[in-house]
Amino acid sequence: GLMLAMGSIAAMQRMSGPAEPVSAASATETITVTATVNEWISFSVSPTSVTLSPDPVDSSGNENVASSTDITLVCGTNDGSGFTIQINEDAGDGLSSGANSIDLSSVTGTITAGTDGYGIQATTTSANTSIAYRYAWWGNNVVGQIDNTPRPFVTSTAAVASATTTAKFKAACDKMQPSGSYQDTVTVVCAGAS
């Protein structure tokens, strides 16, 4: 009797299975996470002062092609369109001493001892970076004229951590050029392209 009843209860429990859990009440919220990546640009020029050597006209009256040492310009940006370096000078008259000046008579030209001329040339090996045709001369005495209008000098077409340009100034003049200390102030500006 008793064992039969207990067996029947156990059989009924096996048939009905475990009791269903009762679902707890719930609520859902979302969390918004924000981080800002700023656009950045870095630019350096070294050195920032150069003296052309040898003198375009020395103390014996000899005429020379004068050149600066290499000038290194380094620009980097995360601007997806890259950057542009523009170049111009303060007065647009080349190297000057008072009312006297030394400059190219054309947009580009070859610096030749004994002939008035002054300008800059540049080169780069950085990816996606190029020198404007006016200044894209290297390993020779061809230079581009610098005037007082900001003009494209170096261009990159993509974001770049660090793009290096090497530039050099060159000048020459006739030995009858009035003596003096001839100077020029050149401005280079690097900005994002977009």
Side-chain angles (χ1 to χ4, degrees), residues 77 81-85 127-130 154-160 163 193:
T77 182
S81 298
F83 67 82
T84 297
I85 299 176
N128 303 311
T129 305
S130 61
V154 184
T155 301
S156 174
T157 57
V160 58

Side-chain angles (χ1 to χ4, degrees), residues 5-154:
M6 291 180 65
S8 298
I9 293 171
M12 291 176 63
Q13 287 178 340
R14 285 196 299 272
M15 291 176 61
S16 61
E20 292 292 329
V22 177
S23 296
S26 65
T28 301
E29 293 287 348
T30 60
I31 300 172
T32 300
V33 180
T34 301
T36 300
V37 176
N38 290 289
E39 184 174 311
W40 61 270
I41 192 162
S42 63
F43 186 44
S44 66
V45 178
S46 180
T48 56
S49 179
V50 292
T51 298
L52 306 190
S53 180
D55 296 334
V57 178
D58 65 24
S59 58
S60 298
N62 297 310
E63 298 162 332
N64 305 295
V65 172
S67 175
S68 72
T69 55
D70 288 355
I71 300 163
T72 302
L73 302 89
V74 181
C75 187
T77 182
N78 63 345
D79 187 320
S81 298
F83 67 82
T84 297
I85 299 176
Q86 292 191 318
I87 187 169
N88 67 282
E89 62 176 17
D90 54 349
D93 57 357
L95 289 166
S96 62
S97 176
N100 304 307
S101 64
I102 302 170
D103 204 359
L104 281 177
S105 58
S106 58
V107 171
T108 61
T110 301
I111 302 299
T112 305
T115 301
D116 284 4
Y118 162 69
I120 192 171
Q121 57 179 216
T123 185
T124 183
T125 57
S126 297
N128 303 311
T129 305
S130 61
I131 310 297
Y133 176 79
R134 183 172 183 156
Y135 310 106
W137 311 95
W138 196 252
N140 53 40
N141 288 330
V142 181
V143 296
Q145 184 186 56
I146 312 163
D147 54 28
N148 57 359
T149 299
R151 299 187 185 280
F153 181 43
V154 184

